[in-house]
Amino acid sequence: MASTPAESRSLPIIAGQLELEEPQDVELVNQQLEPTDHGPAAWKLLGTAFVFEALLWGFPLSFGVFQNYYSELPEFAGNPYISVVGTVASGISYLGAPFTAPFIKRFQKYQRQMIWIGWPICIIALISGSFASTLETLILTQGVAYGLGFLIFYYPILNMVNEYWVTRRGMAYGLLCSASGVSGAVMPFIVEKLLNKYGYRTTLRIVAIAMFILTGPLIPFLKGRLPVSRYTATTTARSDWSFLRTPLFWVYSCSNIVQGLGYFFPTLYLPSYARSMGMSSTIGALLLALMSVSQVAGQFTFGVLSDRKVSVNVLIAISTVVSAVASFALWGLAHSLAPLIVFALVYGFFGAGYVAMWARMSTSVSADPTAMSMIFSLFCFGKGIGNVLTGPLSANLISRVLVLENYGLTKYMAVVIFTGSCMSLSGMIVGSRYLGKGVRHLL
């Protein structure tokens, strides 16, 4: 079978990733590899990855409902570190990226086995958490164990996506990132109903069984594009770390870390904020669902725009500035449901769009394919720093005083200001680089 144009265009990238055993293997590559950026195989892989992202990543991102429930239980009430359960689960997935990416590169032929190891750990973690009677046990099970399981199985899937999606990677990442938003439109309501009817023990078991049934049969469809049986990946070659000397990498990294420090607070505290205003737990779930729906549109839109060569720096500025304004003006001044709904929609769209640009931020830093995975994983690590610190920070930012007429209800004022400030500073870091260039040009 003759190679398609897409296959021919992908060969330089493949040559940079693989060390062919025999010269005639080049012809074998032309004949056997699926096309990139289109075709049934590429879409099947992306669709399967979408389901895993939606269910297994969407669950920890819906922790705001659990936090609201746990905070009202006698055994956990008043503990300022309840949020650590959720932030650790998602934070480990981010922080482990720089360690997992080189491992996958070195042992690429075992990436499917990694999926079979990490996936059951997530299931077992939820079942184990259902037997927890202390916050420490919940942190170890629903938090640490779940995060480790997700870390082990998710990055092999992401590596497979990278193999199939090259020139349209921004769109693919935007679609993949939006998966958790799709589940977030439904999962908070389901979890909230289950918690109120059955309690957290039975709820965790139901979620574990549902994940097992819905994702287990799809694992055989998770296959990479590159033929690991006939080719030797250049895993023994040293990675190109020259991007660490690029100022743009550090600008993006600092902006990313600061954005991550503030980003997660609304998803954690919107349900509690609404509850403090006398609204039901269902309203809290509704706000998370609306934010998730908006995240779907935002991540996909920003991903597509980055693919269409819209300046990444302009997109970063739009994402951070609008998120900051929404935090200061909408969340902080909210004393009724309407502004909270508007905030959830605006913040969800523009705040979540930042992550969808990581792929193009990586290509802006370096054009070397061997450096891409490490740059992306370091962006994940930076986001993870903010994610993990959200729990301890919130314990010191949340006030015990509640005054409904005041900014941020007084109780959440510091959280609102911190979130908006982080968004503002994140955009300023990127903008300062170009402002500095303009000043030097004038001088």
Side-chain angles (χ1 to χ4, degrees):
M1 180 180 67
S3 63
T4 65
E7 289 174 315
S8 300
R9 287 197 301 270
S10 66
L11 287 179
I13 296 175
I14 297 167
Q17 295 174 332
L18 301 175
E19 181 181 332
L20 303 181
E21 293 176 344
E22 301 292 343
Q24 60 266 30
D25 284 348
V26 174
E27 180 63 27
L28 187 62
V29 170
N30 281 326
Q31 294 177 346
Q32 291 187 345
L33 287 188
E34 298 285 351
T36 59
D37 300 303
H38 72 282
W43 283 107
K44 180 174 68 175
L45 187 278
L46 187 60
T48 303
F50 184 95
V51 174
F52 273 80
E53 172 101 7
L55 295 178
L56 283 101
W57 185 237
F59 176 74
L61 296 186
S62 300
F63 181 75
V65 178
F66 272 98
Q67 176 169 302
N68 190 42
Y69 177 83
Y70 287 149
S71 64
E72 296 179 354
L73 293 180
E75 57 265 45
F76 305 132
N79 194 315
Y81 295 102
I82 294 175
S83 60
V84 173
V85 179
T87 57
V88 165
S90 52
I92 287 177
S93 305
Y94 288 122
L95 292 173
F99 309 101
T100 307
F103 184 87
I104 295 174
K105 182 181 178 182
R106 178 68 181 85
F107 301 102
Q108 185 175 351
K109 63 181 179 179
Y110 297 116
Q111 58 185 4
R112 295 196 71 194
Q113 287 83 344
M114 292 177 66
I115 295 172
W116 282 108
I117 293 173
W119 174 74
I121 291 178
C122 289
I123 306 298
I124 294 171
L126 295 182
I127 295 175
S128 301
S130 70
F131 295 98
S133 56
T134 64
L135 183 61
E136 291 77 11
T137 306
L138 279 176
I139 291 174
L140 290 175
T141 53
Q142 190 178 349
V144 176
Y146 189 92
L148 286 174
F150 186 88
L151 174 68
I152 294 170
F153 88 78
Y154 179 70
Y155 286 98
I157 296 177
L158 192 62
N159 190 59
M160 295 175 184
V161 172
N162 289 339
E163 293 176 10
Y164 273 104
W165 297 90
V166 182
T167 60
R168 300 177 68 191
R169 188 170 295 169
M171 182 279 298
Y173 274 42
L175 187 62
L176 192 59
C177 290
S178 69
S180 56
V182 172
S183 67
V186 179
M187 193 172 292
F189 292 107
I190 297 175
V191 171
E192 190 258 341
K193 295 296 183 185
L194 290 174
L195 286 172
N196 289 336
K197 187 172 183 179
Y198 300 109
Y200 75 94
R201 299 183 188 276
T202 302
T203 297
L204 288 174
R205 293 164 193 168
I206 292 174
V207 171
I209 294 172
M211 287 184 177
F212 180 88
I213 295 173
L214 295 174
T215 59
L218 298 178
I219 293 180
F221 295 106
L222 293 171
K223 298 178 181 179
R225 175 174 176 265
L226 304 181
V228 296
S229 60
R230 290 296 303 271
Y231 302 98
T232 303
T234 57
T235 53
T236 56
R238 297 178 63 183
S239 298
D240 181 11
W241 292 92
S242 61
F243 66 86
L244 292 175
R245 298 192 296 270
T246 305
L248 185 59
F249 168 75
W250 294 106
V251 169
Y252 284 158
S253 294
C254 292
S255 171
N256 182 57
I257 291 173
V258 173
Q259 199 265 358
L261 280 172
Y263 174 73
F264 298 97
F265 283 101
T267 56
L268 281 175
Y269 286 103
L270 266 184
S272 300
Y273 194 100
R275 190 71 168 171
S276 296
M277 294 170 61
M279 301 177 190
S280 68
S281 58
T282 302
I283 294 297
L286 171 64
L287 292 171
L288 288 183
L290 291 174
M291 182 176 287
S292 296
V293 171
S294 187
Q295 286 172 346
V296 173
Q299 290 174 328
F300 184 76
T301 300
F302 276 86
V304 170
L305 288 176
S306 67
D307 272 348
R308 294 183 177 179
K309 308 305 179 184
V310 177
S311 171
V312 171
N313 300 312
V314 171
L315 293 175
I316 290 174
I318 294 172
S319 170
T320 54
V321 170
V322 176
S323 298
V325 172
S327 299
F328 288 132
L330 292 173
W331 192 15
L333 296 173
H335 299 291
S336 62
L337 179 59
L340 286 179
I341 290 177
V342 176
F343 169 73
L345 293 173
V346 174
Y347 186 87
F349 185 93
F350 290 94
Y354 190 100
V355 177
M357 294 182 288
W358 281 356
R360 289 308 166 205
M361 289 163 67
S362 299
T363 58
S364 298
V365 171
S366 174
D368 187 347
T370 63
M372 294 299 176
S373 61
M374 285 308 303
I375 296 173
F376 188 89
S377 65
L378 288 173
F379 286 157
C380 288
F381 183 83
K383 192 82 167 185
I385 293 175
N387 195 179
V388 169
L389 289 178
T390 298
L393 283 172
S394 64
N396 295 289
L397 292 174
I398 294 294
S399 171
R400 294 184 180 275
V401 179
L402 178 66
V403 182
L404 296 179
E405 295 78 16
N406 286 358
Y407 185 85
L409 311 184
T410 299
K411 181 176 182 179
Y412 302 96
M413 180 174 63
V415 169
V416 172
I417 294 174
F418 185 82
T419 300
S421 299
C422 286
M423 297 296 116
S424 301
L425 182 58
S426 175
M428 290 170 60
I429 290 172
V430 176
S432 64
R433 179 175 186 266
Y434 295 91
L435 180 61
K437 281 186 175 181
V439 171
R440 288 194 298 270
H441 179 72
L442 291 174
L443 296 176

